[in-house]
Amino acid sequence: MSTFVADTWNVMNRELKPVWREPMAVVFAMIQPLVFLGLFAPLLPEMADGSALQWFVPGIVAMTALMGASFTGANLMEEMQSGSHERQLVSPLGRPALLVGRALKEVVPMLMQVAIIVAVVTPFAFDLHLGGVLVATVVLSVFSVGVGALSFALALASKGQDWMFWTIQQTLLFPTLLTAGVLLPVDGAPRWLEVISMLNPMTYVVDATRALFAGTFPADVVLQGVIGAGVVAALGLVVGVRAMRRSN
């Protein structure tokens, strides 16, 4: 266990070096979420219980976590093509640590992006509830680890075929976002769409994030969000570690 922890720490530090060297890359990755905020927020209807940003911003934060983590497999494909991945496989590092360390790295950019979004929207009729935001980031961190691990597993399964990775990633990404009610509420949707939304773990992560960002702590909603994030994390790590063990 001590060896696994040490290997995971070393892998995570290695993966974070590009983030520390070029922190502006995290800012550039925020262009799309900020465009969504700038274009969609003025179209939101007035809400009787407060600013519409209280509902919309948590969805954008969850979308940023999903999109950022789901793109990380592309970095692994670049390493596979350059031969860097092969050199890591023959190193003394344990293969599970290679996957877990990469997945844990996704938490840091996600936290930076959440801080940027909150800093941008707070002056615009957004009520900041710091305690709720901090708890929500913990839930989103667990969710990001799972999505990142699934992205790495997809990259390993694609075996250097970029078109396969991007086709599957894009095919799954936007239905996941839409059925989770990130941009539009699913309430009142056709029954088949409501069923898909109920089966989407991200739906519960988004609901918990919205409740926490609003400064409320409904036990049932938060617990469902934690379970949803935990299911994604467990699935991602199991599938990712298995794919890494079989990598050659």
Side-chain angles (χ1 to χ4, degrees):
M1 180 58 68
S2 60
T3 301
F4 170 75
V5 173
D7 289 351
T8 300
W9 179 258
N10 288 330
V11 172
M12 184 175 67
N13 282 333
R14 173 188 178 275
E15 295 296 318
L16 282 174
K17 285 182 178 179
V19 178
W20 305 137
R21 290 171 182 165
E22 298 182 6
M24 289 303 296
V26 177
V27 178
F28 289 137
M30 295 300 302
I31 292 177
Q32 186 177 35
L34 293 178
V35 168
F36 272 80
L37 282 171
L39 296 181
F40 274 85
L43 301 176
L44 296 174
E46 294 293 332
M47 301 180 66
D49 55 349
S51 170
L53 288 176
Q54 296 294 144
W55 182 89
F56 191 64
V57 169
I60 293 297
V61 168
M63 180 186 76
T64 303
L66 173 66
M67 296 185 68
S70 67
F71 279 100
T72 54
N75 298 329
L76 179 57
M77 288 198 298
E78 292 180 3
E79 293 189 358
M80 293 169 66
Q81 294 172 357
S82 66
S84 174
H85 178 62
E86 291 181 352
R87 290 191 291 273
Q88 291 182 64
L89 291 179
V90 298
S91 70
L93 294 170
R95 293 199 175 190
L98 288 173
L99 187 282
V100 177
R102 290 175 184 271
L104 289 175
K105 167 259 179 184
E106 301 310 315
V107 174
V108 175
M110 187 274 296
L111 294 177
M112 296 170 66
Q113 291 168 349
V114 171
I116 293 172
I117 293 175
V118 171
V120 168
V121 300
T122 298
F124 299 96
F126 177 80
D127 296 330
L128 176 61
H129 302 278
L130 186 57
V133 171
L134 293 177
V135 176
T137 55
V138 174
V139 178
L140 291 171
S141 296
V142 176
F143 179 71
S144 295
V145 168
V147 174
L150 289 172
S151 182
F152 291 129
L154 177 59
L156 292 170
S158 300
K159 297 182 179 179
Q161 301 181 65
D162 291 5
W163 65 268
M164 181 183 296
F165 175 86
W166 291 115
T167 299
I168 297 176
Q169 189 261 2
Q170 293 293 313
T171 300
L172 296 177
L173 179 64
F174 290 102
T176 301
L177 287 173
L178 295 175
T179 57
V182 168
L183 301 177
L184 295 171
V186 185
D187 300 338
R191 180 59 183 169
W192 63 269
L193 191 56
E194 289 184 347
V195 172
I196 294 176
S197 178
M198 292 170 57
L199 296 176
N200 183 357
M202 189 177 180
T203 300
Y204 306 100
V205 175
V206 173
D207 290 344
T209 303
R210 285 195 171 116
L212 292 167
F213 266 59
T216 61
F217 293 82
D220 55 340
V221 175
V222 175
L223 179 59
Q224 289 174 0
V226 171
I227 294 175
V231 167
V232 174
L235 176 64
L237 291 175
V238 169
V239 173
V241 168
R242 180 175 298 180
M244 187 66 74
R245 288 184 183 276
R246 296 178 176 178
S247 182
N248 55 47

